[in-house]
Amino acid sequence: MSSIERFDVGPRLSEMAIHNGVVYLAGQVPSDASADIQGQTEQVLAMIDQLLARAGSDKTKILRAQLYIADLKDLAGMNAAWDAWVPAGHTPPRATVEAKLAKPEWKIEIVITAAV
């Protein structure tokens, strides 16, 4: 039986978990919610880079991305940040959903699953 390694375990959630060579990230949200959608997305993508590095992975190994956007009118700004970040030839399967997020000032939340 393979073990599960959890990182930054809190009372409600862990920041990420690794099991059988796959890393699962919790939903990542911006630290500075005063930024516009492009700025918030860039913040979240930078956090994803850091977490994947801690897990021994990187954005070229993303298996699936789930993006939750508070308002689809911000899709172009979010996509501008995403397109600048994701490496050519390594674009993962992705779903983008309009959703009411836990804090009204958040414009984006991203969930990533990646290979280690």
Side-chain angles (χ1 to χ4, degrees), residues 10-85:
R12 181 165 292 137
L13 59 89
S14 296
E15 200 62 54
M16 69 178 164
I18 300 174
H19 178 67
N20 282 341
V22 178
V23 59
Y24 303 87
L25 302 187
Q28 299 301 303
V29 295
S31 55
D32 177 9
S34 69
D36 66 6
I37 185 63
Q38 189 165 347
Q40 286 194 23
T41 304
E42 289 167 353
Q43 290 173 46
V44 171
L45 296 173
M47 287 186 271
I48 290 168
D49 280 333
Q50 291 172 0
L51 287 167
L52 290 175
R54 281 181 64 197
S57 186
D58 63 61
K59 60 189 168 187
T60 67
K61 297 177 182 174
I62 295 174
L63 301 171
R64 179 175 67 172
Q66 298 167 281
L67 288 73
Y68 301 93
I69 186 169
D71 192 331
L72 284 176
K73 73 175 175 54
D74 288 333
L75 190 61
M78 183 204 70
N79 278 333
W82 175 267
D83 292 346
W85 176 79

